[in-house]
Amino acid sequence: MFAYDKKLQYPVKIARPNPRLASVIISQFGGPDGELAASMRYLSQRYSMPFDDQKGLLTDIGTEELSHLEMVGAIIHQLTRNLKDKDIVGTPLEKYFVDHTVGVYPAAAAGFPWNAASIQVKGDPIADLTEDLAADATTLHSQHFKNSSRFPREFSLFLDHDGRSRYGRLEYLRSLGSGVLGLYTAVSIPCGYPLP
């Protein structure tokens, strides 16, 4: 079902390690609204979606989120590679470093490890899609923070990574469809489905 292309969706080339920056970016990897949570959310919700088109779309989105997880992992690795104890002391990454050194471990910036309790799968398409909207809105907020805080240019890769910024602005019950490039994640529900 999955095909793996052995290259990142967008190249990540960070010249200088930066443990302070890594301590913020780590949430995009394993935080409650990070890429690991997003991929698990979509790939789990697809099973109870009653319509094949939407089931396929959730599968596509979940798969794309896995590629984002890989890119964020590469960012964290490049920000922490070759760091020594003296480089970490006094930075927000210090406690993380005690347990994981420079390993890429799914955790939130607050320090707690990723947990499936941060996602929801209800089995009801409207409830699940609403949860997706809420999670994407939170993700957009954190991505805006990263992209407006004088972060290096390589961290702007989230600005238009898969069109998710359109998810909350489009009526998710009336989709523009799914494009291979810039996946529109607004989902259409056939008219016969009972709406709240």
Side-chain angles (χ1 to χ4, degrees), residues 10-167:
Y10 295 97
V12 175
K13 294 180 181 159
I14 299 171
R16 294 180 318 172
N18 184 333
R20 290 185 188 282
L21 192 51
S23 71
V24 175
I25 300 295
I26 195 71
S27 254
Q28 196 63 39
F29 188 77
D33 297 307
E35 304 301 339
L36 178 58
S39 62
M40 293 299 99
R41 178 181 298 111
Y42 289 117
L43 291 174
S44 298
Q45 290 175 352
R46 69 187 172 151
Y47 291 106
S48 56
M49 185 58 68
F51 310 109
D52 289 341
D53 287 349
Q54 289 74 18
K55 186 178 294 189
L57 183 59
L58 291 174
T59 303
D60 291 346
I61 297 167
T63 303
E64 177 135 350
E65 298 297 349
L66 289 171
S67 70
H68 302 163
L69 182 70
E70 185 178 33
M71 285 186 298
V72 174
I75 290 169
I76 295 164
H77 170 69
Q78 290 180 25
L79 286 171
T80 60
R81 71 176 176 266
N82 303 323
L83 291 176
K84 306 291 184 238
D85 293 352
K86 64 181 177 64
D87 302 320
I88 299 292
V89 173
T91 71
L93 198 64
E94 187 173 14
K95 290 180 182 177
Y96 173 94
F97 189 77
V98 168
D99 292 328
H100 311 293
T101 65
V102 294
V104 179
Y105 177 76
F112 57 86
W114 185 82
N115 187 314
S118 64
I119 67 168
Q120 185 56 268
V121 179
K122 295 299 284 181
D124 176 88
I126 301 300
D128 285 347
L129 294 173
T130 302
E131 200 265 343
D132 296 342
L133 283 168
D136 275 2
T138 303
T139 301
L140 286 173
H141 172 74
S142 68
Q143 291 169 1
H144 172 73
F145 167 76
K146 284 194 280 283
N147 291 315
S148 65
S149 301
R150 297 188 191 143
F151 276 43
R153 180 162 169 67
E154 55 265 25
F155 297 103
S156 296
L157 63 92
F158 297 109
L159 282 176
D160 190 28
H161 65 297
D162 67 353
R164 285 191 323 171
S165 61
R166 301 175 187 203
Y167 193 46

Side-chain angles (χ1 to χ4, degrees), residues 170-183:
L170 295 174
E171 293 179 70
Y172 72 93
L173 298 176
R174 292 176 180 55
S175 171
L176 291 179
S178 171
V180 173
L181 297 174
L183 200 61

